[in-house]
Amino acid sequence: MSLLYVSEEGWIISHLKYLNEIYKEVRTLENELCNLGFNKMIFEINSQYLRQNQVAQTIQEPHDSAMHSKKKRKRSQRLPQKDLDEVDRVKQAFGTMMSVAKNRGLFCWNNFFDNNEIARLASMKFYQDTYSDKDENLYGSNDMDNAIISEAHNKKYVFPRKCIFYCYDVRDIEKKIELNNQYDFILLDPPWWNKSIRRKKMKCAEASYKMMYNDELIKIPIRKLLQLNGIVAVWCTNSSNHLNSIVNEIFPSWGITYRAKWYWIKVTQTGDTICNFNSAPGKQPYELLILGSALEKNKVNIPDGKLMISVPSAVHSHKPPLTEIIKDYLPSDPKCLEIFARYLLPGWTSWGLEILKFQHLSLYEIVDECKKNERNVADTRSEHESEGQL
């Protein structure tokens, strides 16, 4: 559904295609079926992201901009050799995959050097439209085999099939979810504390989120939620501090054994990385996914060093779906939980303070005529409960 290409090195994913696929058949409030499409402008990433003072030069000299950027770095700043070797391995695996992908026509050929203006404007509109939405203390489910459109707190949302969601602070998780080792896979996208987001919070509140320290993450009862043979995956920036915290502090506190590190490489519509691979400390064109298991000798072999390549959303922390990637390492019909989720997935339980933002109906458009459904409206079951109100 979302996998465009699979190889020994990893996967190429279409986040947009995945979202469109899961909303191909949606039951409306009027008991009709329609086909919804996600706002594709959010994925209009046509070129590397640049600062405003670099834009004019890039339009005139697009091929020289990267070299100009490199010259500005201090030559004394270089990554340790082991990190340089890691970047080189990722770069080589990426080149191998993209060579085949481009020959197969999986990426377009264009000459847009607009600094992703369309995506930037779409992202800005998203923040403006959803900033005032306060959907905390809300939970619900869609038990139907179809996605549905429903209302919560006087707003219209679309919910994927067979989903459950909790819009609560993570500190309340023990009060709301049974801690009975029920999940085969738990995915987390922690709001890591970092200076960049702190600066954004001071300048633009809608572009920021609530950050957490490591000692707060440690308190999440992961081991009590996870099956004995379960797998945990944590999204992480390429910060060595965060990586070391997961492997040496957070995983051991959860009773989880480190198994593998995967790389989410972000590319433009043309298949180029959204920034250069760097030999100096700082930004890389990838984030990390750190995987661990409840048992040191889990019966499933989780390979190390896999690549996940996709065009990223212009909205911060709108991560690509892992459903089709992770299924090969889980039992059939697995129970999956995402913590700090920012959108809902079919068949998953989702927890987070921002889980409904990407479900807002304003982000979708009808791409197919609605058809009257013969089934009775009463057959549709969607439950929403907030504190003191059903």
Side-chain angles (χ1 to χ4, degrees), residues 80-187:
Q81 188 58 47
K82 66 179 182 63
D83 295 327
L84 290 172
D85 293 341
E86 178 183 7
V87 172
D88 189 56
R89 286 195 302 270
V90 174
K91 188 175 180 179
Q92 288 187 31
F94 172 75
T96 300
M97 291 184 68
M98 293 307 295
S99 177
V100 176
K102 289 185 177 181
N103 286 336
R104 294 187 180 185
L106 296 182
F107 293 90
C108 64
W109 303 88
N110 64 41
N111 292 307
F112 295 141
F113 296 103
D114 60 351
N115 202 22
N116 307 310
E117 183 178 7
I118 293 175
R120 287 175 184 270
L121 292 174
S123 174
M124 188 181 303
K125 186 177 187 304
F126 165 82
Y127 285 125
Q128 290 172 347
D129 290 346
T130 61
Y131 176 57
S132 62
D133 290 352
K134 300 297 181 183
D135 292 314
E136 298 180 21
N137 301 325
L138 176 74
Y139 76 90
S141 66
N142 171 23
D143 296 338
M144 299 299 296
D145 290 323
N146 294 115
I148 64 170
I149 293 173
S150 188
E151 290 188 356
H153 288 185
N154 299 316
K155 293 183 286 288
K156 290 183 180 180
Y157 297 94
V158 59
F159 299 102
R161 63 174 183 82
K162 300 291 185 181
C163 71
I164 301 171
F165 61 87
Y166 297 82
C167 197
Y168 291 95
D169 191 289
V170 72
R171 299 171 185 83
D172 295 328
I173 201 164
E174 292 193 59
K175 303 175 186 176
K176 305 295 181 182
I177 294 183
E178 293 295 327
L179 304 179
N180 59 355
N181 307 102
Q182 58 184 315
Y183 294 102
D184 301 292
F185 179 60
I186 299 178
L187 174 65

Side-chain angles (χ1 to χ4, degrees), residues 29 41 79 94 107 169 183 232 240 276-277 315 338 341 353:
L29 291 169
M41 291 188 293
L79 290 167
F94 172 75
F107 293 90
D169 191 289
Y183 294 102
V232 173
S240 58
N276 299 316
F277 287 95
V315 180
E338 182 172 8
L353 291 175

Side-chain angles (χ1 to χ4, degrees), residues 307-373:
L307 271 55
M308 304 168 287
I309 302 171
S310 74
V311 176
S313 165
V315 180
H316 181 75
S317 285
H318 191 193
K319 296 296 196 299
L322 300 182
T323 305
E324 293 183 82
I325 291 176
I326 202 66
K327 68 180 182 181
D328 290 338
Y329 311 100
L330 300 175
S332 58
D333 195 25
K335 294 191 67 176
C336 301
L337 168 67
E338 182 172 8
I339 301 175
F340 305 111
R342 291 177 173 87
Y343 63 103
L344 303 181
L345 294 167
W348 284 48
T349 297
S350 301
W351 184 290
L353 291 175
E354 299 180 326
I355 52 175
L356 295 187
K357 285 192 173 184
F358 283 99
Q359 308 309 129
H360 200 284
L361 204 57
S362 64
L363 282 169
Y364 301 81
E365 63 176 353
I366 296 176
V367 295
D368 202 0
E369 291 294 327
C370 291
K371 298 176 291 185
K372 193 69 178 179
N373 192 330

